[in-house]
Amino acid sequence: MTRLWENQAFTIAHADRDSFEGKGLRSFFEYRDLGISAATKGAFGAHVIRAVPGMESPAQWHSHALDFQMVYVTRGWVVFEYEGSGEHTLKAGSCVLQPPGIKHRELRHSDDLELLEVISPAEFETREENAP
């Protein structure tokens, strides 16, 4: 039985016990679920994302219907382009808060890219967009 504290369950994820899976929003990334969605009944989500070596982004403009999206790069680099802000290279230690609905695209990344993404809610709609 799972005990809840203020509508959340206690959870721990360990890198040496959890695996990356190819199923996720983007086929050129692999995802490791950190258990946050299950622990918060979908109110929040968190996962580690890493690049699939040799695969590239199609650089499609898109937006997300969510309340919160934060990306923190732990290894490698990635170049994003944001509506109204242009291109930004994020490296290990870089963090970006992507406001709800902002049009953006991932242009390119290193083969060793790894990042942490925190979102709310855990499930959300992604819409393809025309260039701003």
Side-chain angles (χ1 to χ4, degrees):
M1 181 168 105
T2 302
R3 182 175 168 197
L4 298 179
W5 287 267
E6 300 294 321
N7 294 316
Q8 295 181 10
F10 179 80
T11 188
I12 297 177
H14 296 281
D16 61 348
R17 296 184 195 161
D18 300 328
S19 61
F20 283 85
E21 297 182 4
K23 60 182 178 183
L25 186 60
R26 307 278 178 232
S27 63
F28 48 90
F29 288 146
E30 294 177 317
Y31 301 78
R32 183 168 69 89
D33 181 27
L34 298 179
I36 304 304
S37 178
T40 64
K41 299 179 183 177
F44 298 89
H47 43 268
V48 178
I49 302 172
R50 71 179 179 194
V52 175
M55 293 190 72
E56 296 180 6
S57 167
Q60 171 63 48
W61 283 99
H62 62 280
S63 65
H64 305 295
L66 44 61
D67 298 322
F68 180 85
Q69 182 179 25
M70 185 209 76
V71 173
Y72 181 85
V73 178
T74 59
R75 185 172 57 208
W77 56 267
V78 60
V79 179
F80 285 111
E81 185 174 11
Y82 294 97
E83 169 184 14
S85 186
E87 288 187 26
H88 296 274
T89 301
L90 305 178
K91 301 175 277 191
S94 297
C95 181
V96 62
L97 177 65
Q98 297 180 171
I102 190 171
K103 292 180 183 180
H104 63 284
R105 62 183 179 160
E106 192 263 336
L107 297 173
R108 57 194 168 278
H109 58 265
S110 62
D111 275 350
D112 67 340
L113 173 66
E114 187 172 279
L115 54 87
L116 169 68
E117 181 178 58
V118 179
I119 51 177
S120 179
E123 298 291 327
F124 57 89
E125 178 188 0
T126 296
R127 296 180 291 258
E128 288 191 8
E129 300 278 5
N130 293 321

